């Protein structure tokens, strides 16, 4: 399935407007824009990896009081990650965030006012797993506002656990246990 022209243009514009935080994000943005100029087949149509690459929408729920964020212990990835999911065919990434936060955590999406419904960060990541499962995710990272007293209903089929992490706890954690871009994302968020 291919993206409708208007939706594809909106996705391209979201990525084109991103201001890279560092050289790696600048390279990811450049790679992503080149990919988008070559294809309009950007949605995962068959699990786990068809086509590769494809779009993913991550979202970090952030507590405004102390800057902590919610991460989930993702069963398949074996890592602590922001929640999120694959952008479905014909779906805008903002719709993905709204759908996934309800499905995965049982709460509505409240976008960080400073950003609105725009992603803050972009990554291009080769996934882990068996050779048959490996693929490339082009991930748009959105930021939602929340608080530590928020009650979540995490999806037990997706996550082993869920918890709030302070920026210092993320910094102190074994990097092999987190998304490889988590520290950079939090640094960019802190610079807002």
């Amino acid at each position: 399935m291919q993206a409708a022209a208007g939706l594809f243009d909106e996705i391209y514009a979201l990525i084109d407007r991103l201001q890279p935080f560092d050289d790696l994000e600048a390279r990811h943005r450049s790679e992503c824009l080149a990919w988008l100029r070559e294809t309009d087949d950007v949605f995962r149509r068959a699990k786990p990896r068809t086509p590769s690459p494809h779009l993913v929408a991550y979202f970090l729920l952030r507590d405004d009081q102390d800057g902590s964020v919610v991460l989930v212990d993702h069963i398949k990835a074996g890592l602590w990650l922001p929640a999120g999911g694959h952008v479905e065919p014909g779906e805008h990434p903002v719709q993905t965030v709204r759908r996934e936060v309800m499905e995965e955590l049982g709460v509505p999406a409240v976008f960080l006012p400073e950003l609105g419904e725009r992603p803050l960060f972009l990554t291009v990541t080769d996934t882990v797993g068996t050779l048959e499962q490996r693929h490339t995710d082009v991930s748009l990272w959105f930021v939602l506002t929340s608080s530590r007293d928020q009650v979540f209903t995490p999806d037990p089929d997706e996550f082993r656990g869920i918890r709030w992490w302070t920026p210092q706890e993320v910094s102190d954690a074994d990097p092999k246990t987190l998304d490889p871009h988590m520290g950079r994302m939090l640094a960019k968020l802190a610079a807002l």
Side-chain angles (χ1 to χ4, degrees), residues 103-166:
E103 289 176 4
E104 294 186 346
L105 301 177
V107 297
V110 179
F111 289 86
L112 188 69
E114 297 91 328
L115 294 170
E117 295 181 346
R118 294 179 297 123
L120 174 64
F121 195 56
L122 170 78
T123 58
V124 177
T125 308
D126 292 327
T127 63
V128 295
T130 66
L131 188 57
E132 297 80 31
Q133 295 174 327
R134 290 186 196 149
H135 59 277
T136 301
D137 284 341
V138 175
S139 302
L140 297 169
W141 296 55
F142 293 84
V143 183
L144 306 178
T145 187
S146 189
S147 68
R148 285 182 171 265
D149 61 356
Q150 175 72 56
V151 176
F152 297 109
T153 309
D155 182 345
D157 294 330
E158 296 243 6
F159 313 130
R160 278 188 287 270
I162 177 175
R163 68 171 267 226
W164 287 95
W165 293 68
T166 66

Side-chain angles (χ1 to χ4, degrees), residues 24 58 79-81 125-126 141 175 178-184:
L24 182 55
Y58 270 156
L79 298 170
W80 284 94
L81 304 172
T125 308
D126 292 327
W141 296 55
L178 302 170
D179 181 282
H181 305 288
M182 184 59 60
R184 294 175 43 250

Side-chain angles (χ1 to χ4, degrees), residues 62-63 167:
R62 180 176 180 264
D63 183 295

Side-chain angles (χ1 to χ4, degrees), residues 60-71 143-148 163-170 186 189:
L60 276 176
L61 287 102
R62 180 176 180 264
D63 183 295
D64 294 334
Q65 297 300 312
D66 67 1
S68 61
V69 295
V70 170
L71 298 180
V143 183
L144 306 178
T145 187
S146 189
S147 68
R148 285 182 171 265
R163 68 171 267 226
W164 287 95
W165 293 68
T166 66
Q168 187 62 51
E169 288 172 325
V170 170
L186 290 182
L189 182 56

